[in-house]
Amino acid sequence: YNLIGSVYRAQNNLSHAETALKKAISLSPEEWSNYNILCSIYIMKCAWKEAVIMCEKALALCGEIEYSKKIKNRLTALKEKIADSSGM
């Protein structure tokens, strides 16, 4: 379901992508990449708070240092986006 979700995301079919990634998470809740991909889908949907939640879950599960750095950067940018949006 991870791959299916990624394909739907690439096709900009965000509804199907979200459904597939939620299924992937239900089958493999310890797989950080599922949360990371779902985070990117929420970013594409401008669902910032949901994206932060998924990003935090991906970061908590990710044991790969290089990817952890990328996820931390994404999380920081998302939190800044939310702060900017609420300040308007």
Side-chain angles (χ1 to χ4, degrees):
Y1 288 94
N2 179 302
L3 181 57
I4 293 169
S6 294
V7 170
Y8 280 132
R9 180 186 63 173
Q11 295 173 340
N12 207 31
N13 188 335
L14 302 182
S15 177
H16 283 87
E18 181 179 359
T19 300
L21 264 297
K22 285 181 177 180
K23 180 68 174 179
I25 288 169
S26 74
L27 295 172
S28 298
E30 72 291 341
E31 177 55 50
W32 68 270
S33 64
N34 293 330
Y35 298 97
N36 194 48
I37 297 167
L38 187 54
C39 173
S40 68
I41 292 165
Y42 287 142
I43 290 170
M44 294 171 77
K45 294 173 79 172
C46 298
W48 309 122
K49 291 180 183 178
E50 292 86 350
V52 166
I53 293 167
M54 292 301 112
C55 194
E56 287 173 340
K57 288 182 179 182
L59 184 59
L61 292 169
C62 184
E64 300 176 37
I65 294 171
E66 191 59 36
Y67 285 114
S68 291
K69 289 178 186 177
K70 291 177 183 180
I71 295 169
K72 283 180 187 176
N73 291 339
R74 177 185 269 185
L75 183 56
T76 300
L78 283 168
K79 288 182 176 180
E80 289 173 0
K81 181 82 171 172
I82 290 171
D84 290 346
S85 297
S86 63
M88 294 182 154

